[in-house]
Amino acid sequence: MDNVIRRRTVGARIGRAMLYAVLLLAALFYLLPLAVMLITSVKPLAEISPGTLLSLPREPTLAPWAKAWGEACTGMRCEGVGGYFFNSIAIVAPAVAISTVIGALNGYALTKWRFRGSELLFALMLFGCFIPFQVVLLPMAQTLGWLGLSSSRAGLILVHVVFGIAFTTLFFRNFFVAVPTELVSAAKLDGAGFFRIFWRILLPVSTPIIVVSVIWQFTQIWNDFLFGVAFSAHDTQPVTVALNNLVNTSTGVREYNVDMAAAMIAALPTLLVYVLAGKYFVRGLTAGSVKG
Amino acid sequence: MAALEINNVCKIFGSEQVLRDVSLAIDSGEFLILVGPSGCGKSTLMNAIAGLEPVTSGEIRIAGEEVTWQTPAERDIAMVFQSYALYPSMTVRQNISFGLEMRKVPRAEREAAVERVADLLQISHLLDRKPSQLSGGQRQRVAMGRALAREPKIYLFDEPLSNLDAKLRVDMRTEIKKLHQRLGTTIVYVTHDQIEAMTLADCIAVMRDGRILQLGTPDEVYNDPVDIFVAGFMGSPSMNFIVAILEGGAGDYRLRIATPEEEDLVLPWPAVRETPDMAGQVGREVILGLRPEHIGEEDARLGDRNEGTRITARISVVEPTGADILLQLPLGQGEVTARVGPRCRVLAGERLALRVDMGRAVLFDSETERRLA
């Protein structure tokens, strides 16, 4: 298993067993919060206050999920997080698509159509990966105001696209650098132009890195709270902001089961994306390193 | 009219001069080989012909038309790359027809062209495979097929055989030669392998440091090299260079070779091969160039009727290659290689009588390394 040839003594077996035990414990420890959330979200409120956190629900119910989706109060309104969930989708889908497309074109131009200063330009773009979000809040608000996009979905999409380009460019640039430039030369001689070469030659071999870019951007934008809370109006808020409002609305009894259900709803899409495409994510990150 | 004409082309990368005043011209149907060590500028020159890299100055003409500032697509050329550069996501059929598709050739004509080159290169059974499912030799054929499908004005081959194993390389070399003879295409071919250059070319350009040192037929380049570099680059094993003192005078030039612990060897220079340049070098050091095949064993049955000048030497290494035997022997300050027939029964350490064929020897200036005679 570990590629070392050695005699399997009793001591070695015991050591291995202990190793697995420790790893299993660590895995359980990390899964615990998720388990608590799931369990709590399907318990009636009556079971939560007296019971311990980990006890299984005696009368499992989906009512907290329904309430979180459609009725729970987020601030002044009591319409649940469902509407905001779709807000998030309406922001995330175009932002992911646009930033991925631009990143792919950038990476292609920076590797296959080099120009004077293209390396410098790439280095400067990389700075974008390290700029803290807080720094740009005020200038960005100003800019959105000038563009007439304040508090709109389009404004949030623009913000996420601008921030995402640094990462998507990095992904695609590093992927395309490993694609032989002779392919592009051959296509040029065959008579294909800039976009044709991109579309017919490079894009068909880019699936792994497209998946990486989509997962990364989806997770980042879906989970974003700061831009969401800063640049949205009430009816354009993403689900993360709604979740915060729901949890912080302090009227009556605190409904932990509804809070947990809402949190699960807000977290599920990113989990789902990773479960569906996770193996491509790992493959894409290591692509190029083993390419023959 | 010249199929390809290159006039005074220079190329500068930063502070480095990659091509220095390169000029050449080839006729339609000619097979030109650019040969030289790595970094000599041969690939840059090829990329300049292809239009993949701009030149700094000078002019390139294809079929009489100036193309110096045209894009690769406008030049109507096809190229076979060292890595083959097959489009990984396309089948062999799509790879071959892509160039035609880009040039808006109707589908029926494209299919006919694919069939034609597939027949020619015997790859019909591979047409629906992806490049990743092909062996190295098959990929090579597909790369050639892609170039042949378009019937361009000039074909460029950039070290097309260097990724093949030794046996396949020799087979493909013959095949390329056959194709050229059959199709009469104009080909510019880059290689660092001087055997490929000798076997394939109508015309060889030997390059070094961005310059063309010699442009000539394989026979000229091999037997009549302009300087020590060309002489040493062409031929395997390479030419022996022996330091000698030029003595005598017109009609009676001799080369005195000082050999440690032995009597000086004096080789007469054949009068018919004298040149005026030699007069100025009398009494000075010159470099004698002798190819291994110019030092052969003496045939005992012929006795004095053996050609060439007789020498004897203690053989230090015997290397049979099968077809013939290479011998290492001390001559002058160093060792030289001689090529003798496969039946020569000499052992390392023995003395052997050999004949030096001065009729094909060449002489170089020891300072400028240029050819004297």
Side-chain angles (χ1 to χ4, degrees):
Chain A
M1 287 296 272
D2 53 2
N3 286 329
V4 177
I5 296 171
R6 69 166 82 90
R7 202 180 284 280
R8 308 210 60 180
T9 61
V10 179
R13 279 164 203 257
I14 292 176
R16 188 129 290 243
M18 284 174 67
L19 184 67
Y20 282 125
V22 170
L23 289 175
L24 206 65
L25 269 175
L28 283 176
F29 183 73
Y30 276 94
L31 277 174
L32 211 52
L34 181 66
V36 169
M37 275 177 76
L38 259 176
I39 291 168
T40 310
S41 74
V42 292
K43 277 180 188 169
L45 196 58
E47 282 183 37
I48 293 172
S49 355
T52 60
L53 273 176
L54 283 168
S55 67
L56 290 173
R58 265 163 286 152
E59 293 170 43
T61 167
L62 285 176
W65 284 70
K67 185 165 185 193
W69 182 262
E71 298 156 33
C73 296
T74 55
M76 303 299 285
R77 289 191 219 178
C78 293
E79 296 163 343
V81 297
Y84 303 105
F85 186 90
F86 290 113
N87 266 351
S88 274
I89 289 179
I91 294 164
V92 168
V96 168
I98 296 169
S99 59
T100 299
V101 167
I102 296 179
L105 281 170
N106 280 351
Y108 167 56
L110 285 172
T111 52
K112 302 298 173 217
W113 297 78
R114 293 200 181 180
F115 46 91
R116 190 182 289 272
S118 59
E119 287 296 299
L120 179 70
L121 186 71
F122 175 61
L124 290 175
M125 287 197 78
L126 274 189
F127 265 117
C129 299
F130 301 103
I131 292 176
F133 286 10
Q134 294 84 339
V135 172
V136 296
L137 280 181
L138 284 177
M140 189 59 92
Q142 184 76 265
T143 309
L144 289 177
W146 284 329
L147 294 173
L149 293 174
S150 300
S151 307
S152 69
R153 272 194 205 125
L156 263 181
I157 292 170
L158 176 71
V159 173
H160 286 302
V161 166
V162 168
F163 258 87
I165 284 174
F167 286 95
T168 55
T169 302
L170 171 70
F171 293 148
F172 279 97
R173 186 262 179 197
N174 287 354
F175 183 81
F176 287 146
V177 124
V179 175
T181 300
E182 287 192 341
L183 281 181
V184 176
S185 300
K188 280 185 196 169
L189 284 158
D190 269 343
F194 181 88
F195 286 104
R196 199 88 72 116
I197 294 172
F198 178 66
W199 188 251
R200 294 283 302 269
I201 313 292
L202 285 173
L203 221 46
V205 299
S206 308
T207 316
I209 204 66
I210 293 172
V211 172
V212 166
S213 177
V214 166
I215 293 185
W216 175 267
Q217 282 299 91
F218 187 93
T219 313
Q220 290 294 309
I221 301 172
W222 186 276
N223 288 341
D224 162 69
F225 177 75
L226 187 63
F227 287 151
V229 79
F231 300 134
S232 67
H234 192 270
D235 54 352
T236 55
Q237 274 169 3
V239 70
T240 45
V241 178
L243 175 66
N244 176 64
N245 293 346
L246 182 146
V247 174
N248 287 335
T249 301
S250 49
T251 47
V253 191
R254 179 155 276 249
E255 294 178 294
Y256 287 108
N257 50 357
V258 176
D259 292 355
M260 293 302 177
M264 286 301 300
I265 289 171
L268 269 180
T270 50
L271 269 178
L272 197 68
V273 164
Y274 186 73
V275 168
L276 289 181
K279 66 175 181 185
Y280 291 102
F281 187 75
V282 177
R283 214 182 285 164
L285 282 182
T286 55
S289 50
V290 286
K291 207 164 190 179
Chain B
M1 181 175 50
L4 171 71
E5 214 182 319
I6 293 170
N7 295 324
N8 310 100
V9 160
C10 294
K11 167 87 187 171
I12 298 169
F13 269 133
S15 61
E16 201 184 341
Q17 233 184 324
V18 194
L19 294 177
R20 301 164 195 252
D21 199 25
V22 171
S23 296
L24 59 83
I26 54 169
D27 284 329
S28 183
E30 260 195 311
F31 199 133
L32 168 72
I33 291 211
L34 306 175
V35 68
S38 23
C40 70
K42 57 190 191 293
S43 290
T44 309
L45 181 58
M46 171 148 286
N47 284 340
I49 298 170
L52 295 169
E53 277 179 41
V55 299
T56 309
S57 65
E59 171 192 68
I60 299 169
R61 305 179 81 89
I62 292 176
E65 186 190 354
E66 175 163 5
V67 299
T68 319
W69 298 105
Q70 283 184 0
T71 64
E74 288 166 336
R75 295 183 188 204
D76 195 17
I77 41 188
M79 188 156 168
V80 178
F81 292 86
Q82 186 175 6
S83 65
Y84 315 137
L86 301 178
Y87 309 130
S89 60
M90 299 184 196
T91 61
V92 168
R93 186 188 304 277
Q94 290 166 328
N95 261 285
I96 294 175
S97 63
F98 184 73
L100 298 168
E101 190 193 330
M102 290 300 110
R103 277 153 217 274
K104 304 198 170 56
V105 173
R107 176 176 292 270
E109 271 179 56
R110 295 206 305 257
E111 276 164 14
V114 171
E115 294 301 319
R116 175 176 60 81
V117 301
D119 269 356
L120 190 67
L121 296 167
Q122 294 148 23
I123 48 172
S124 302
H125 59 297
L126 304 173
L127 285 176
D128 293 312
R129 294 208 199 157
K130 291 277 179 69
S132 57
Q133 298 165 304
L134 303 177
S135 70
Q138 290 170 334
R139 287 180 202 189
Q140 217 284 328
R141 280 167 189 273
V142 175
M144 298 215 315
R146 191 168 62 180
L148 289 169
R150 261 193 21 233
E151 303 188 323
K153 294 198 190 90
I154 298 180
Y155 292 88
L156 305 179
F157 286 70
D158 188 6
E159 308 213 16
L161 304 182
S162 57
N163 285 345
L164 299 179
D165 61 61
K167 180 166 171 7
L168 204 50
R169 195 179 316 159
V170 175
D171 293 347
M172 281 312 290
R173 198 171 72 200
T174 313
E175 197 143 343
I176 290 176
K177 182 140 191 168
K178 273 189 200 155
L179 269 176
H180 176 246
Q181 285 171 353
R182 201 167 137 193
L183 303 175
T185 47
T186 310
I187 297 179
V188 181
Y189 186 113
V190 162
T191 180
H192 61 266
D193 179 345
Q194 46 86 22
I195 297 179
E196 261 172 47
M198 289 295 296
T199 50
L200 289 172
D202 295 321
C203 183
I204 296 179
V206 185
M207 295 186 65
R208 184 196 193 183
D209 297 335
R211 277 197 192 87
I212 293 182
L213 297 181
Q214 186 168 7
L215 183 67
T217 63
D219 178 62
E220 282 166 358
V221 171
Y222 189 79
N223 292 315
D224 206 5
V226 295
D227 66 7
I228 287 188
F229 178 81
V230 174
F233 191 81
M234 304 304 291
S236 172
S238 60
M239 183 183 270
N240 301 299
F241 297 111
I242 305 152
V243 177
I245 307 285
L246 186 64
E247 293 181 343
D252 179 33
Y253 284 117
R254 296 178 306 275
L255 293 161
R256 178 175 294 277
I257 300 167
T259 307
E261 296 161 27
E262 290 202 38
E263 222 176 293
D264 284 1
L265 179 66
V266 178
L267 298 172
W269 186 259
V272 290
R273 305 197 60 227
E274 281 175 14
T275 61
D277 289 347
M278 290 172 75
Q281 299 288 327
V282 174
R284 298 175 61 179
E285 236 177 49
V286 292
I287 310 274
L288 169 67
L290 280 174
R291 293 207 177 271
E293 60 266 34
H294 300 160
I295 310 173
E297 80 239 72
E298 188 173 65
D299 190 334
R301 289 166 303 177
L302 291 176
D304 283 346
R305 285 176 293 125
N306 268 297
E307 283 183 15
T309 312
R310 186 173 202 269
I311 60 168
T312 63
R314 193 174 296 284
I315 306 302
S316 54
V317 180
V318 179
E319 297 170 298
T321 66
D324 43 28
I325 300 176
L326 301 175
L327 304 175
Q328 298 285 329
L329 50 128
L331 185 66
Q333 302 301 312
E335 295 229 314
V336 298
T337 307
R339 192 196 290 269
V340 298
R343 294 181 200 288
C344 182
R345 295 266 171 262
V346 68
L347 295 174
E350 290 178 349
R351 281 193 86 85
L352 183 70
L354 294 156
R355 291 280 174 165
V356 178
D357 180 4
M358 291 299 284
R360 291 161 73 193
V362 285
L363 210 56
F364 301 99
D365 186 313
S366 62
E367 278 162 31
T368 64
E369 304 203 335
R370 304 289 299 171
R371 180 82 176 276
L372 282 174

